[in-house]
Every structure is written in C-alpha cells, then in structure tokens.
RNA sequence: GGUGCCAUAGCUCAGUCGGUAGAGCAACGGACUGAAAAUCCGUGUGUCCCCGGUUCGAUUCCUGGUGGCACCA
C-alpha cells in the first residue's frame, strides 16, 4: 500500500486538535503539526497547543520544538517535514498533518521554489529604508531591479517588495526568475481534509476560547515574553494585543476584545486561502464517521 | 393611568428646513512563494418601528398604534 499524508486543515478554533487526536487513535498513527506558532515552546496558552494528555497519547512532531528567538520559515518546514517523513512512513502507512498555516501546508504538499538564503542584514537595511524613506523608494528600486515582478506585485505591500528586493540584491538576479511555480513531485499520496463550521458558530467558539486562554493565564505567559516582543514569532494574535496593554496603549478589556476580533479576522483569512483549493474535501466537525469513512476509502483507492 | 422624550445599518448614534440616508465600531469580500497568527487591498450590508393622512413626492410633517426610557400619580 502506498504511503499517504492526510492533511487536516481548517480555520483557527474550528476544532482541529480534538479531531486529529481521534483520527490518530483510530488510524494508529502520529501527527505532524503545521501550525506556525505552535512550533515555539515559549508560546503555549495563546497558541492553544494540544494538552499534555493529548501529547502523551499521540506522538506529535513540530510542537514546541523551537524558541521564539529561532529563525524559521515555510521553506525550512518543507525541508524538515520531508526529512522525517520517510522514517514515519517506515512505521506507519499513513501520517497525519494538522494545522492552519496555509503557506506551510502548501510548502509540504506542493513544494516551494528554491530561492537563495538572504543575509539578514539586507532585510534590516531595507526595512530601515522603508521606515525612513517610505514605500515609494522601495518601488523605485524594485522597478529597476525586477520590472517583471514590479508589474504584478501589490505595490502597497511593503513586505512583498522588501522580500523581492532582498533576493535581487542577494542573488544579483531578479526575484521573478526564481518563481517557477512548479509543483514538486512527492513520493507519497496526499489527502486534504478541511474542517468547517457555520460562521456564527465558529466566531462564538473563537470568542469563548480567548476567554479560556485568559483564564488559563495568557496574560502572564505574554508578560514573560514582553522583552522579546520585537521578535517576529511574537507578532501574533494574543500576544501583540497584551503587549499594547502592558505599554499602556489600551486597556486590558480592550486587549481581550481585540484578541477576539483579530482571531476572527485570522480565521477569515485562512478560509479565503483555502477557498480556491479544489483538492480539499470539507467536513463538519460532527461528521466524524463520514470523515473516517472518507479517509479509509481514499487509502484503499489511492494507488 | 397621565405627561414628556425616543424609535434610522449587527451595535452606538448623526442626518434629511419634505426629493428613499452616513459616521465610528463590528461585519463582509479578496490577494498571498523563506516574516504568513504576518502583510496588503476592496465593500455600506438599511421596510429610516407599524397603519393611515397631507403632498407630485414622507424616513422627515400630522392622527392613531406598538415598544423603550424618564417623571408625575
């Protein structure tokens, strides 16, 4: 039987964790987390990592394996997942990958173009330029270095422009030359499962989950990370809002309210990301039997 | 029971000296290749409480309801 990676995705708060534990038990396998914030061991409460009970019951990978100080990326995730998969497939025919980080999931499923590494000081320099001279100066540079990308990039999004510029400068060639969009071949099958809920239901769960996080000590977890708040990993929902509270910019109540709102908006962005992926088969969380049946059928048909 | 005030977007409210309406928040839609829980773009979504009346035309003025609030009993 061919090896298969079963990807379970869905917006934040939809109930991925609980179902993934059920699925892993049922199919007797392990879980790869594809959540770009659950990687960090300093961030537990605010990222809703699986409970210790769940972690003890099922073998998890890529949970709390990094420090917020570490650099990480979708590309590194692709590399690291492809590195451990052969060993997992030696033990199990199917492996679960659960998460909500669309780009990370795509990197594993489709691959991501090979683009040279960049010296961090180049990005720092460009970021400084952006802050001091504004986005127009970045546009001018990009138009010169990579007119092709300039023509199609969102010229109001400084992160996209900085990314392109740092590659141009670092590689000495236009960024657009590296973007092949070719899909990588994988030597395993992939089944994508999406979990969905009615919007009202999802938002209610998100709001409630934030209250639970606060009860469980999110404020304290965040306070301990205050000095590191400039790090990218901490530019995350649930953390940035509390940092603003600690700095006196907003009230505690406002911070909690904003965590709820920003979580809802994040969920919407996730839904948008997956809306065009026709390979995803969507299920409601209560359709667990159908879901298990679908996976079992897929395993038998996929060759 | 009486008197007064109010009723407009999901919420809080503004406004139209009569020509079918707009702010904030919330919400909705979209983009996305090593920062992605990031970053960026777009969109008012409305029986102006209800039934009548006056008027060419009523969300606006008038009668009567209904609901809410306040005060007096």
């Amino acid at each position: 039987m061919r090896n298969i990676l079963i990807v379970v995705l869905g917006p934040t708060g939809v109930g991925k964790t609980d179902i993934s534990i059920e699925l892993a038990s049922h199919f007797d396998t392990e879980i790869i987390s594809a959540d770009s914030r659950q990687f960090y061991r300093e961030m537990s409460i605010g990222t809703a990592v699986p409970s210790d009970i769940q972690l003890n019951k099922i073998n998890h990978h890529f949970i709390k394996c990094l420090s917020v100080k570490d650099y990480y990326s979708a590309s590194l995730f692709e590399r690291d997942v492809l590195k451990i998969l052969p060993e997992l497939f030696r033990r199990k025919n199917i492996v679960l990958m659960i998460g909500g980080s669309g780009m990370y999931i795509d990197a594993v499923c489709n691959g991501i173009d090979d683009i040279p590494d960049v010296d961090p000081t180049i990005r720092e320099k460009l970021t400084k330029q952006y802050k001091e001279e504004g986005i127009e100066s970045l546009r001018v540079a990009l138009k010169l270095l990579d007119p092709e990308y300039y023509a199609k990039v969102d010229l109001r999004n400084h992160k996209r422009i900085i990314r392109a510029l740092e590659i141009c400068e670092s590689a000495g060639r236009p960024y657009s030359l590296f973007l092949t969009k070719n899909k990588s071949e994988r030597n395993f099958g992939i089944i994508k499962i999406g979990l969905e809920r009615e919007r009202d239901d999802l938002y209610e769960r998100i709001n409630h989950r934030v209250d639970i996080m606060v009860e469980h000590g999110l404020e304290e977890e965040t306070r301990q990370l205050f000095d590191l708040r400039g790090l990218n990993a901490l530019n995350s929902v649930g953390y940035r809002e509390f940092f603003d509270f600690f700095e006196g910019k907003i009230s505690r109540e406002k911070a909690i309210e904003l965590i709820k709102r920003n979580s809802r908006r994040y969920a919407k962005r996730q839904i948008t990301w997956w809306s065009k992926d026709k390979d995803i088969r969507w299920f409601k969380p209560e359709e667990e039997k159908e879901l298990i049946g679908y996976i079992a059928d897929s395993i038998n048909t996929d060759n």
Side-chain angles (χ1 to χ4, degrees):
Chain A
M1 192 164 73
R2 196 163 97 117
N3 295 323
I4 296 180
L5 180 68
I6 296 165
V7 180
V8 178
L9 51 82
T12 187
V14 77
K16 294 187 294 295
T17 302
D18 289 346
I19 284 191
S20 67
I21 299 294
E22 293 298 315
L23 293 177
S25 300
H26 186 273
F27 291 101
D28 182 32
T29 187
E30 307 183 14
I31 290 177
I32 291 172
S33 169
D35 186 304
S36 73
R37 289 301 185 272
Q38 290 183 358
F39 298 151
Y40 301 106
R41 52 179 162 265
E42 298 93 333
M43 304 163 73
S44 293
I45 299 171
T47 60
V49 287
S51 67
D52 288 343
I53 296 170
Q54 292 172 320
L55 291 175
N56 286 331
K57 189 173 176 189
I58 304 294
N59 221 353
H60 280 72
H61 304 270
F62 299 96
I63 295 267
K64 297 199 230 185
C65 56
L66 295 173
S67 160
V68 291
K69 295 173 185 169
D70 293 328
Y71 170 79
Y72 207 61
S73 70
S75 176
L76 293 176
F77 183 66
E78 176 198 18
R79 182 198 68 188
D80 294 341
V81 170
L82 293 181
K83 197 188 290 174
I84 69 159
L85 267 179
E87 196 201 320
L88 293 179
F89 280 136
R90 213 171 297 140
R91 301 201 290 263
K92 316 283 181 185
N93 274 318
I94 70 169
V95 171
L96 290 172
M97 185 164 83
I98 319 290
S101 301
M103 191 161 77
Y104 283 67
I105 291 170
D106 286 353
V108 171
C109 294
N110 308 322
I112 192 165
D113 286 321
D114 198 22
I115 296 172
D117 291 330
V118 177
D119 181 345
T121 59
I122 295 182
R123 179 176 292 182
E124 284 163 24
K125 187 200 78 181
L126 289 165
T127 302
K128 187 163 173 270
Q129 181 184 339
Y130 167 62
K131 282 180 182 157
E132 289 174 0
E133 300 170 37
I135 198 165
E136 184 56 27
S137 82
L138 296 178
R139 289 180 191 144
V140 170
L142 183 66
K143 193 170 189 177
L144 193 68
L145 293 172
D146 190 349
E148 188 182 330
Y149 192 65
Y150 178 88
K152 65 179 182 185
V153 71
D154 176 358
L155 288 169
R156 283 174 289 199
N157 191 329
H158 68 276
K159 288 204 177 188
R160 297 276 148 67
I161 302 180
I162 289 175
R163 172 64 185 155
L165 284 176
E166 69 183 9
I167 297 301
C168 293
E169 288 193 25
S170 174
R173 291 198 290 154
Y175 174 59
S176 51
L177 290 182
F178 295 98
L179 302 179
T180 69
K181 301 230 175 212
N182 292 336
K183 279 199 175 185
S184 301
E185 284 296 312
R186 299 301 188 211
N187 61 358
F188 49 86
I190 295 172
I191 297 171
K192 289 183 190 169
I193 309 288
L195 294 178
E196 63 178 357
R197 283 179 188 273
E198 293 298 320
R199 197 65 68 89
D200 289 351
D201 182 23
L202 180 66
Y203 283 5
E204 217 168 279
R205 282 176 55 97
I206 287 172
N207 294 340
H208 183 244
R209 195 170 71 159
V210 171
D211 288 331
I212 300 283
M213 287 176 180
V214 172
E215 277 174 35
H216 287 4
L218 178 59
E219 183 176 349
E220 187 51 32
E221 177 172 278
T222 309
R223 196 183 292 280
Q224 288 175 5
L225 295 166
F226 184 71
D227 291 341
L228 301 172
R229 64 190 180 285
L231 296 173
N232 178 63
L234 292 169
N235 183 196
S236 303
V237 176
Y239 296 82
R240 56 207 295 203
E241 296 86 355
F242 263 118
F243 293 149
D244 283 345
F245 164 54
F246 298 150
E247 290 179 349
K249 292 178 185 164
I250 54 177
S251 69
R252 186 171 184 277
E253 290 66 34
K254 184 69 177 174
I256 293 169
E257 187 187 317
L258 286 176
I259 291 171
K260 291 175 181 173
R261 184 199 68 184
N262 292 338
S263 297
R264 282 181 244 129
R265 290 181 174 176
Y266 170 49
K268 166 61 181 118
R269 269 179 273 130
Q270 292 175 296
I271 292 168
T272 299
W273 178 283
W274 292 308
S275 63
K276 58 190 179 229
D277 188 340
K278 300 302 169 214
D279 296 335
I280 300 171
R281 174 68 185 269
W282 293 93
F283 290 88
K284 306 249 186 240
E286 62 268 23
E287 298 172 326
E288 197 178 315
K289 277 189 183 133
E290 292 86 340
L291 174 49
I292 288 175
Y294 173 73
I295 293 173
D297 289 348
S298 305
I299 293 169
N300 293 326
T301 5
D302 187 285
N303 282 305

